[in-house]
């Protein structure tokens, strides 16, 4: 089921990185709940997006936005990395790519297409954050998606990435959510 604006999402269960089993729909407690489907932690762009959302966490909370991230790492691996990076929001480990498949988040056809049109601004931000790319941990061609839900589980914003830098910044996301109310 592709997550497009206007549909009501199918609930799914997940295990948090601390081993707690939860229903996603039960977590829809704020005005908006956003899921960022990233690639893997070895991907510099995924690290950058995770850190940018970490740095904007208080801003997002003030705007009524809760954040979840889905990443391809095994639970043990991402738990350690998330703790080291002081990530304040829930991260869902999906090494078997069950959620990526359930919500039809595609992979790129090739590495060339995966990096075509990469944002130079985001590449510079990676340098500013001191981010390095390293070990591939999952499907290297996996693309990302950013999806926002209201409290009733309806998709109010949906963006499936075209390349590895095609994830809205926290500010862009809030602007799009506020525009959806107009």
């Amino acid at each position: 089921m592709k997550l497009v604006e206007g549909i009501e999402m199918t609930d799914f269960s997940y295990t948090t990185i601390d081993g707690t089993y939860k229903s996603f729909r039960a977590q829809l407690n704020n005005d908006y709940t956003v899921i960022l489907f990233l690639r893997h932690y070895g991907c510099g762009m995924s690290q950058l997006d995770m850190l940018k959302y970490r740095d904007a966490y208080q801003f997002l909370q003030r705007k009524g936005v809760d954040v979840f991230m889905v990443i391809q790492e095994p639970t043990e691996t991402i738990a350690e990395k998330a703790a080291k990076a002081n990530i304040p929001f829930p991260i869902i480990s999906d090494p078997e790519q069950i959620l990526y498949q359930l919500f039809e988040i595609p992979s790129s056809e090739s590495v060339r297409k995966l990096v075509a049109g990469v944002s130079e601004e985001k590449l510079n931000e990676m340098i500013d954050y001191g981010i390095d790319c390293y070990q591939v941990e999952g499907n290297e061609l996996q693309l990302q998606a950013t999806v926002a839900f209201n409290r009733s589980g309806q998709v109010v914003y949906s963006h499936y990435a075209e390349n590895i830098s095609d994830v809205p910044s926290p500010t862009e996301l809030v602007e799009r959510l506020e525009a959806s109310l107009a």
Side-chain angles (χ1 to χ4, degrees), residues 39 107-118 140-144 161-166:
R39 293 166 29 80
S107 295
S108 182
E109 295 172 12
S110 67
V111 172
R112 184 180 305 266
K113 287 186 178 186
L114 184 70
V115 298
V118 167
E140 181 57 19
L141 297 177
Q142 182 62 56
L143 287 165
Q144 311 91 299
E162 298 287 326
N163 64 47
I164 61 171
S165 68
D166 188 16

Side-chain angles (χ1 to χ4, degrees), residues 163-178:
N163 64 47
I164 61 171
S165 68
D166 188 16
V167 173
S169 71
T171 303
E172 291 169 329
L173 177 67
V174 167
E175 289 170 358
R176 291 174 182 166
L177 291 175
E178 288 173 345

Side-chain angles (χ1 to χ4, degrees), residues 6-56:
I7 69 163
E8 195 161 317
M9 72 163 268
T10 301
D11 193 15
F12 64 90
S13 296
Y14 65 95
T15 305
T16 62
I17 57 178
D18 68 0
T20 308
Y21 188 74
K22 295 186 175 184
S23 158
F24 184 73
R25 295 273 311 230
Q27 309 310 307
L28 301 176
N29 299 318
N30 218 332
D31 294 339
Y32 300 104
T33 301
V34 174
I35 302 179
L36 289 126
F37 291 88
L38 299 180
R39 293 166 29 80
H40 55 83
Y41 200 80
C43 170
M45 287 293 170
S46 289
Q47 288 178 60
L48 176 63
D49 291 323
M50 188 178 288
L51 296 175
K52 286 174 72 171
Y53 275 82
R54 174 203 66 192
D55 293 348

